[in-house]
Amino acid sequence: MEKFIVTGRNKINGSIDISGSKNSVLPILAATLLIPDTCVINNVPKLSDVYTMIELLKYYGAEVEFNDSIKINCSNIENKAPSDKVKDIRASFLLVGALLGRFGKVSMFMPGGCNIGQRPVDLHLKGFGVLGANQSIEGGIIDISAKYLNGGEVYLDFPSVGATENIILAAVMAKGRTVISNCATEPEIIDMADFLIKAGAKISGAGSDTIVVEGVDCLKGVEHKVIPDRIEAGTFMLAVAGTGGKCRINNVISEHIKPIILKLREMEVDVEESENSVIVSSEGNIVNTDIKTMPYPGFPTDMQAQFTALMAKGIGTGVVNETVFENRFMHIGELKKMGANITVEGRTAVVRGVEALAGAEVEATDLRAGAALIISALAAEGTTEIGHIHYIDRGYEMIEKKLKSVGCDIKRVRSEE
Ligand code: UD1
């Protein structure tokens, strides 16, 4: 077990380079299972979730080299009984769409709930059903098979990111046309679709609320560069806003972080946009506002915990309304240990800004909750110890190295636990 020791109140100055997007590379890696050829994926973040996905692909027989880029060949993969490793990351459920597309059948552990909510997969299964797949669940394992996958029309009752990706993966080599209505529009879906289109798939409408997939017979190997991670970028922007300083955040697509930029401006933080970067300047005094999480292009749920942490030390009161996940306020108990004044009722948190936060011993309860604690710790008086940082390592590449390079006092140590 490792923990971070963070001493706060050091201004953040300089520049930080953003890595490739975790939520893009995971579905793209799943998609390689459809391609009996070599693919090269560039701008891949070195994250524990990425290593887990690679282990899973190797389990099915993929040949993988991961240096600066990932070179992967899925020519000789086999369909197998599910590996226990799929339980380590929820994104492994995307293997279902890809394996179903490649082999016409798949057997997989049903994903359980997690710290941020139940996270059912009913919409994924509804989509596979529309494509003609039969499904049965026994002993926590789902078996899905179809003699032929045929295109069909799927309506998603909620624009689920994972369901949209999984149904695309199953539909890419189905017979005929699949239409996914009320689908998710996140940039990571466009990135996966772009990867598949280069490989020969016929997908239109990615980024809109209706995606059309015309089935093709086969796909070929391609080279692809993953888009920048908008949530990593947002997290560093908030760190600067809360602690103070001036920092250029490089390798961003500013359209993808619009709600974050505009919310920071509402909070009187200066954000300058240029072609591939944003510059955030702050004295550390921010004015609280309200936020409501929504599917893209709304305010991202993956930035909610970090904004709540930022507002803990803001001026005035802000209301946070979490509409996407039902249990995404685990960070608040930890923020309170640092002196935050936040009350929660159902899916709403009322944040009354305090003048200063104080260092404390806290624990990350999930990936973004961990990022929120780093933001608070950097802005707090004194020293904070953050435990369970394996959650943070799932989604932030070399976070302490990047923060140290801009003046933060953060170190990783082994904990006795
Ligand atoms: C993805 C992201 C995650 C982000 C989330 C929402 C990846 C690897 N993860 O997760 O970081 O927080 O999008 O932007 O890309 N739902 C159902 N039934 C389903 C599927 C989802 O009810 O079949 C519900 C979920 O419980 C949740 C909501 O829909 O309340 C959104 O979930 P979804 O968009 O599917 O999130 P993920 O794809 O799991």
Side-chain angles (χ1 to χ4, degrees):
M1 291 282 264
E2 292 178 322
K3 60 186 175 185
F4 283 139
I5 310 282
V6 183
T7 301
R9 312 291 302 151
N10 292 300
K11 296 280 179 221
I12 302 181
N13 288 304
S15 68
I16 294 180
D17 293 338
I18 297 305
S19 301
S21 162
K22 167 179 91 71
N23 287 353
S24 270
V25 76
L26 295 175
I28 288 171
L29 283 171
T32 62
L33 285 175
L34 288 165
I35 306 173
D37 200 353
T38 299
C39 293
V40 176
I41 307 164
N42 300 314
N43 201 29
V44 179
K46 293 197 163 75
L47 301 171
S48 58
D49 274 16
V50 172
Y51 289 111
T52 305
M53 190 59 122
I54 290 173
E55 281 313 306
L56 282 164
L57 295 173
K58 284 184 177 168
Y59 171 78
Y60 288 100
E63 290 160 30
V64 188
E65 284 171 35
F66 187 7
N67 299 310
D68 284 338
S69 300
I70 293 181
K71 191 170 172 192
I72 181 161
N73 187 304
C74 291
S75 302
N76 298 314
I77 61 165
E78 296 171 60
N79 210 352
K80 287 191 170 180
S83 150
D84 263 351
K85 214 160 181 61
V86 299
K87 294 178 181 164
D88 292 353
I89 53 166
R90 286 192 52 89
S92 60
F93 203 68
L94 295 171
L95 299 173
V96 173
L99 290 168
L100 187 62
R102 178 90 183 248
F103 295 113
K105 62 180 183 175
V106 53
S107 191
M108 191 63 71
F109 285 108
M110 284 292 281
C114 71
N115 290 350
I116 63 173
Q118 275 307 308
R119 303 182 83 173
V121 287
D122 54 317
L123 300 172
H124 305 233
L125 303 184
K126 176 178 172 176
F128 301 143
V130 168
L131 298 183
N134 296 312
Q135 311 170 12
S136 62
I137 302 175
E138 211 182 299
I141 292 182
I142 184 160
D143 285 297
I144 310 181
S145 62
K147 195 154 186 215
Y148 300 105
L149 286 171
N150 288 307
E153 287 189 73
V154 188
Y155 171 78
L156 296 183
D157 301 272
F158 184 88
S160 153
V161 175
T164 303
E165 291 165 343
N166 233 342
I167 298 166
I168 294 174
L169 290 169
V172 157
M173 294 207 294
K175 284 195 190 317
R177 165 185 287 216
T178 300
V179 181
I180 313 168
S181 307
N182 195 36
C183 63
T185 63
E186 268 69 358
E188 294 77 17
I189 293 170
I190 305 178
D191 205 22
M192 185 193 80
D194 285 347
F195 168 80
L196 284 166
I197 290 166
K198 278 191 236 166
K202 291 197 175 141
I203 303 169
S204 57
S208 79
D209 60 9
T210 305
I211 291 177
V212 179
V213 184
E214 299 280 355
V216 296
D217 290 338
C218 66
L219 299 173
K220 61 176 191 315
V222 282
E223 182 159 355
H224 183 79
K225 183 178 174 193
V226 174
I227 58 169
D229 196 306
R230 61 193 166 103
I231 306 300
E232 187 198 11
T235 301
F236 288 128
M237 290 167 73
L238 267 59
V240 182
T243 305
K246 182 170 184 177
C247 192
R248 180 187 286 275
I249 316 284
N250 292 320
N251 304 341
V252 299
I253 298 174
S254 78
E255 188 197 328
H256 294 173
I257 51 174
K258 242 339 155 204
I260 302 166
I261 294 173
L262 296 178
K263 277 288 164 190
L264 281 176
R265 287 189 184 141
E266 271 179 40
M267 298 171 91
E268 301 188 5
V269 176
D270 192 40
V271 185
E272 247 177 83
E273 291 170 70
S274 59
E275 206 176 322
N276 295 314
S277 63
V278 287
I279 300 172
V280 182
S281 320
S282 165
E283 296 295 324
N285 302 319
I286 46 118
V287 179
N288 280 343
T289 184
D290 298 337
I291 59 169
K292 181 175 180 178
T293 64
M294 286 184 197
Y296 190 85
F299 183 90
T301 173
D302 285 352
M303 284 301 299
Q304 179 264 107
Q306 301 90 314
F307 261 87
T308 306
L310 177 66
M311 293 208 282
K313 200 181 82 57
I315 298 162
T317 298
V319 177
V320 178
N321 191 352
E322 172 58 64
T323 76
V324 179
F325 288 107
E326 71 274 17
N327 186 28
R328 212 170 191 181
F329 284 143
M330 302 278 281
H331 47 289
I332 289 176
E334 302 304 297
L335 293 175
K336 283 182 171 175
K337 293 183 189 165
M338 301 178 73
N341 179 356
I342 308 176
T343 46
V344 178
E345 203 173 314
R347 290 181 170 213
T348 303
V350 177
V351 187
R352 293 179 181 84
V354 295
E355 214 150 280
L357 294 170
E361 262 186 55
V362 290
E363 268 178 15
T365 49
D366 64 65
L367 165 57
R368 306 304 170 187
L373 295 176
I374 291 185
I375 288 172
S376 290
L378 292 171
E381 310 280 353
T383 298
T384 300
E385 288 190 23
I386 306 175
H388 291 191
I389 61 172
H390 58 278
Y391 284 118
I392 301 172
D393 292 333
R394 296 182 66 163
Y396 292 91
E397 184 178 40
M398 300 186 300
I399 189 164
E400 74 272 29
K401 197 171 165 203
K402 290 187 184 186
L403 286 170
K404 269 189 210 162
S405 76
V406 289
C408 301
D409 185 347
I410 174 169
K411 51 180 187 282
R412 181 186 289 261
V413 296
R414 290 202 72 76
S415 75
E416 282 86 59
E417 249 183 278

